[in-house]
Structure formats: structure tokens, C-alpha cells
Amino acid sequence: MEAVLKNLSSTAELLAVAARSSVVEQWDKQTLSRAFHWARYCEHIFSRFHNNTTINRVMGKQLELTNESLRAVFPGYTDICFSDLFQCQHLLLMGLLKNPDLPISIMKILFDTASPVNNQQSDYLDVTGFCSHIIQCKSACKVLSPLTDLSGADVEVQGAVLMERLEDLLSGGGEACRTEHIVNSFLQEGEGASGHFCLVIAAALLTRSNSAAAAAQTASQDCLLDWLQKEQNVLQQMCSALPTTLIIDLAKRHLKCRDAYCDVLKKWASSMEYSMSEGEWVQANTNRTLSFQRLTERFLALFAACPSLREDVEKELNVLNISDGDFDVRGLSVWGDLLSAINK
């Protein structure tokens, strides 16, 4: 029993370190695996002894002593009792995700369901199953449901976690360069993942908080939008990869997003050339993913969602058309033809 009590105390200390200590910066995959091993051990202890009143009392007293020492080390520490042990893995996962010092490498393991670490007899890395718990731990973090329909709850979770990490960093006076590093590291999932991290950005920007957390969330989302405007390749990838309805939702929510999307549409238009053989404007590059008709539809959808934008954009397109010679002949200016198309 002495060894069990010692292991119980050690695991309580582990939970405190995972949630509140910068030591997690030094964790690697093996450390993470050992941590969840001990969390499962405590769940097993609870399962075995939760009906034994005598042992419950002994273990409860041991945890009280451990809690007392941990309160002295970690300000704001929350006590753990014997009844908490049945969800020890959950507590460990939540503590790690709330720790602003959690390294990106560990976070990626937590979200990588293909990782060998996740193939153990445990559901601790089932991020889809933990979506609601992560949302609850931030007290009312909520993302629009279309994202779940597109890519599953893991996108909502990653978006929520990204916002939480940015909020923690900014509330601590984090520098802009550090903030940008967090975003870059968080989103760089490797080749072939561009569509996924575009959804993560969208999820983060569509996240809602209660009134108490609104100011911090606004600052974090502004930070993410500033980063996005600097990363034009990512911005264009988002506009190309995401469904138009989702982009429009972003445009309606964020003025910066609306203006950035409009600029991307104009950039796409400027890259078009008139094909005599096709009798239509086409993208000049070989990867012709956007037709002139689709471009027109995107402008119209944006104007429908943001009516105040239409007049200014039409004035700008008219100026560009005049600079091209203001010819009233199809095929001479993409701006003139675009104006005609959106005003039909």
C-alpha cells in the first residue's frame, strides 16, 4: 500500500506540472507516453478500490497532504481528490492543453491520431471525443457547425486551442514575433496538410467567447488576421481551398478578412488574360482553377453579404478600366468586363 500511495502522490504532482509548469517545454514523445501511463495507472486504482471505504479514506488523506504541498508551489492550484482519479487521463490532457508552455511538438502528437503513441489501450488522444471538454475548459468557446461538417470536430478543437494559446501569450505581454512563431509552428503540419490548416485558421477566426473573454479573443483574432495578411500565400490558399460560404462567414465577422478577401479577388482578376480561342478570360498560369464566371460569382456573393463594399469596389474597378483605355469592347480589359458582369 505504501508504494501505491507514493505513486498516487507522484501522479498528482505530475498533473500539476503538466498544467502549470514550464517543465513541459522539455517533454518529448517518451515523456508524454509515460505521463499517460501513470494517469491510466491511477484510473486502474480508482476502478479497483472505489468501493472500498477504508482504502478510499487512506488515499484521500494522502492526496490531501500532496495537495497542501502543491498549493505552496503552484499559485491557484486546484486540489485533486480520490473521486477525480476515474478521469485522470482527461485531467492530464486538459492540463497540457491549457499550459501556455506546451511545446508545439507535443501538441502535434496529441492531435496526430496516426501516431504510434495513440495506438495504446487508451482514448486519451481521441481529440474528437474531447472537443466539448476543451471548449468547456475555456468557458463558452464555440465554433460554427459547418466546420464540423467539413472536417470533423478536431478542426474546431485545434482552432479553439490556437485561440487559447494566443490569448495566454498576449495576456502575458508576449511579443509579436513570439506570437507569429506560435501561429507558424502550429499551422505547419507538413506537406499535404494545407487544406486542413486553412480550416483550423477559419475555426479560430469563427470562435465565439462569452462576454467575459470577448476582449482577449478579439485581440487574439486580430493578431491572427495580421499574421494572415503578411502571409499572402496562406491567405490565397485559404480563399481558394475553403468553401465560398465559409469565406463569406469570415468576411461578415471580420472587416480585415472582408478587405483581404476582396484584395485576393482583385489579384486573381489581374492575373487573367483573354483567350481568343475560348472567347473568355482565363487565368494566365497553367493551373487554371478559377473561371471568369466563378470570379464574378465570388464578387457578387461578397457584395450580397457586405453591401457597403460594393460601391467602393465598383469605383476602383472603374478607375482600373479607365487606366486600360476605357474601351467598350469585350476582351480588352478584365476590369471593364468584370464591371459589366457584376452589373448585369
Side-chain angles (χ1 to χ4, degrees):
M1 178 58 70
E2 183 178 349
V4 173
L5 294 176
K6 182 178 180 180
N7 290 336
L8 200 62
S9 291
S10 296
T11 305
E13 293 168 356
L14 169 67
L15 294 175
V17 167
R20 301 176 178 276
S21 173
S22 61
V23 171
V24 295
E25 290 181 329
Q26 303 171 24
W27 281 27
D28 54 17
K29 188 174 182 178
Q30 185 177 9
T31 309
L32 183 69
S33 181
R34 287 200 301 267
F36 277 97
H37 166 80
W38 284 110
R40 289 194 298 276
Y41 168 84
C42 283
E43 290 182 358
H44 172 72
I45 293 299
F46 176 85
S47 176
R48 184 176 178 183
F49 296 113
H50 72 281
N51 289 324
N52 189 314
T53 304
T54 302
I55 294 182
N56 279 0
R57 189 179 301 110
V58 173
M59 291 186 174
K61 288 183 178 179
Q62 182 66 39
L63 286 173
E64 286 176 6
L65 293 173
T66 305
N67 288 330
E68 184 178 353
S69 61
L70 289 173
R71 284 196 298 271
V73 176
F74 299 107
Y77 169 78
T78 302
D79 288 359
I80 183 172
C81 60
F82 182 76
S83 61
D84 292 324
L85 297 184
F86 86 96
Q87 57 172 355
C88 203
Q89 293 183 82
H90 166 73
L91 294 176
L92 177 56
L93 177 60
M94 293 302 100
L96 286 169
L97 291 177
K98 290 193 293 182
N99 190 331
D101 293 313
L102 182 70
I104 295 297
S105 58
I106 296 299
M107 188 176 293
K108 287 183 177 180
I109 294 174
L110 292 174
F111 286 114
D112 181 10
T113 54
S115 169
V117 175
N118 301 346
N119 294 330
Q120 302 178 27
Q121 295 297 317
S122 168
D123 62 354
Y124 72 88
L125 295 179
D126 180 5
V127 291
T128 299
F130 279 114
C131 176
S132 60
H133 298 296
I134 296 177
I135 290 173
Q136 290 168 9
C137 81
K138 194 58 183 175
S139 302
C141 177
K142 193 174 183 180
V143 182
L144 297 181
S145 59
L147 286 160
T148 307
D149 298 334
L150 285 168
S151 189
D154 61 321
V155 166
E156 294 190 19
V157 174
Q158 288 177 288
V161 172
L162 175 56
M163 280 296 94
E164 184 168 329
R165 296 208 67 185
L166 289 177
E167 288 171 26
D168 289 340
L169 183 63
L170 293 174
S171 65
E175 298 178 355
C177 59
R178 171 63 175 160
T179 302
E180 291 182 8
H181 172 71
I182 289 290
V183 180
N184 283 318
S185 299
F186 193 95
L187 298 176
Q188 289 171 358
E189 298 275 342
E191 186 177 0
S194 58
H196 179 79
F197 75 63
C198 286
L199 285 169
V200 172
I201 298 174
L205 293 174
L206 290 173
T207 300
R208 295 181 184 273
S209 284
N210 57 21
S211 57
Q217 186 185 83
T218 298
S220 299
Q221 291 179 334
D222 280 344
C223 173
L224 183 55
L225 286 167
D226 290 341
W227 173 86
L228 197 57
Q229 288 178 317
K230 293 178 183 178
E231 299 292 332
Q232 284 293 310
N233 289 337
V234 178
L235 177 61
Q236 291 196 55
Q237 173 66 22
M238 276 190 66
C239 294
S240 177
L242 296 180
T244 303
T245 52
L246 188 55
I247 300 173
I248 294 301
D249 284 340
L250 290 168
K252 288 191 292 186
R253 181 77 65 83
H254 301 284
L255 182 63
K256 288 181 179 179
C257 198
R258 183 202 73 177
D259 293 341
Y261 178 50
C262 189
D263 287 342
V264 168
L265 292 181
K266 287 181 286 187
K267 185 172 184 178
W268 285 346
S270 69
S271 70
M272 287 185 162
E273 59 184 19
Y274 193 76
S275 170
M276 297 298 294
S277 61
E278 298 181 33
E280 188 58 274
W281 291 95
V282 298
Q283 287 184 296
N285 54 48
T286 55
N287 184 24
R288 298 179 178 181
T289 58
L290 183 71
S291 67
F292 182 77
Q293 179 181 352
R294 187 71 187 109
L295 177 66
T296 303
E297 292 170 354
R298 282 177 174 258
F299 268 110
L300 290 173
L302 181 59
F303 295 156
C306 310
S308 61
L309 185 65
R310 181 167 190 147
E311 184 178 352
D312 290 338
V313 172
E314 287 188 357
K315 286 181 180 179
E316 185 176 355
L317 295 180
N318 190 53
V319 170
L320 292 168
N321 180 44
I322 292 173
S323 69
D324 279 348
D326 197 19
F327 296 106
D328 190 19
V329 179
R330 179 172 171 77
L332 294 182
S333 171
V334 69
W335 311 115
D337 290 352
L338 188 55
L339 271 171
S340 298
I342 63 178
N343 285 305
K344 277 185 178 180

